[in-house]
Amino acid sequence: MSATSPHGDPSVDFLPFTRPSIDEQTIAGVVEVLRSGWITTGPWNARFEQALSEYFGGRTVRAFSSGTVTMEIALRMMGVGPGDEVITTPLSWVATANVILAVGARPVFVDIDPRTRNLDAARVEAAVGERTRVLLPVHLAGLPCDLDALYALAQRHGLRVLEDAAQAIGSRWRGRRVGAFGDYASFSFHPNKNATSIEGGCLVLPPDADPALAERYRLQGVRRFGVDGMDVDLVGGKANLTDVAARVGWGQLQQVDAFNARRRELALAYFAHFDALGLEARGVLLPPRDETDSNWHMFQVVLPPQVPRADVMQALKQRGIGSGVHYPPIHLFSLYRKLGFAPGDFPHAERVGSGILTLPLFPDMRDADVPRVAQALSAVLRESGV
Ligand SMILES: *Cc1c(COP(=O)(O)O)cnc(C)c1O
């Protein structure tokens, strides 16, 4: 046994930037599902959807096999397709824009507010045109977008809203839970998110949306009736959530508020340590701290432009600390350049995207990990002359 590791495994000393917390009750629950004889979509999927509905203030919720397919189905339910435009942010996981292309529509990017790193609501109006159908804001790192401004604008122009809330379970906007109000909201349960079902997602539906339509898009367009009747009237996919996954997701949902409270505690500790180290005065941008309603999905700093991020990541790794990049700007990927986007189009997203660095933050982190990361980052930056 190593002196530093209770498990005799030296790799446990490496601090990843995130790690899911799966409790023993959930593990036992999964074993029960596996033994039950029903392992794909069934009673646990229904129970998970019901629990999600309660979490989102009684709204209608359907679960899917990923956050990506959830958003794609939402766009299909709104009837978005070729000739339509969807306004979104260039600073997100590429899934956000890929689903717009997947339904045959065109993404229209609007630059971010460099402080919040979210879509700059003040710039959205200028991007609205004849073909605009949907606003697709992303609550990056769990920090809610300005939903007052975005919903007011949507109403003025007769647009639908699909909130990419993949990272925002448990976040609040003016005291109300994201997803508990508004139009469509899509969540992800990927293992990196604040609650996981291994892979999975869910869609909160507005009152005018038909949940049976969501179910048909989820499973081959199938509609069943009577004892033995079946019809197919649209092209659906294969996007159902297994009961094994739903059992994991249900167990996580019981804990997500506690997970988020622990994340907040750790985030506040990061601010205290970075303040003591004078990081902001040294040119490092910290996340906004005056907003109290983030679920702290990630704690991300933006490095000064002259600091090579790859070197910082390597140096942190040598000190046993993982870090991540979330995200390079979408419009600079080759697929999007082929559509006509180019460097310089969205300067704030480009600047933030080139310097952003995700630091370790997850509920099972120990208190002592925070000063360890803060001091390591400070020391590594000193080596770069910052
Ligand atoms: C994770 C994520 C998605 C996609 O979710 P998956 O479950 O991985 O398909 C979409 N948008 C954002 C912002 C995400 O973080």
Side-chain angles (χ1 to χ4, degrees), residues 203-222:
L203 185 63
V204 183
L205 298 169
D208 68 340
D210 178 10
L213 183 60
E215 289 164 15
R216 266 144 67 222
Y217 277 121
R218 185 167 69 179
L219 201 73
Q220 314 292 2
V222 166

Side-chain angles (χ1 to χ4, degrees), residues 66-69 71 92-93 95-96 138 164 166-167 188-190 193 199-200 327:
S66 76
T68 305
V69 79
M71 289 197 291
S92 180
W93 175 227
T96 307
V138 178
D164 181 350
Q167 305 182 354
S188 164
F189 303 119
H190 179 276
K193 307 294 156 71
E199 299 286 356
Y327 296 95

Side-chain angles (χ1 to χ4, degrees), residues 23 26 44 48 246-256 259:
D23 66 341
T26 300
W44 272 104
F48 186 34
R247 177 62 186 84
V248 175
W250 184 89
Q252 292 271 293
L253 191 62
Q254 315 306 311
Q255 301 168 77
V256 70
F259 289 161

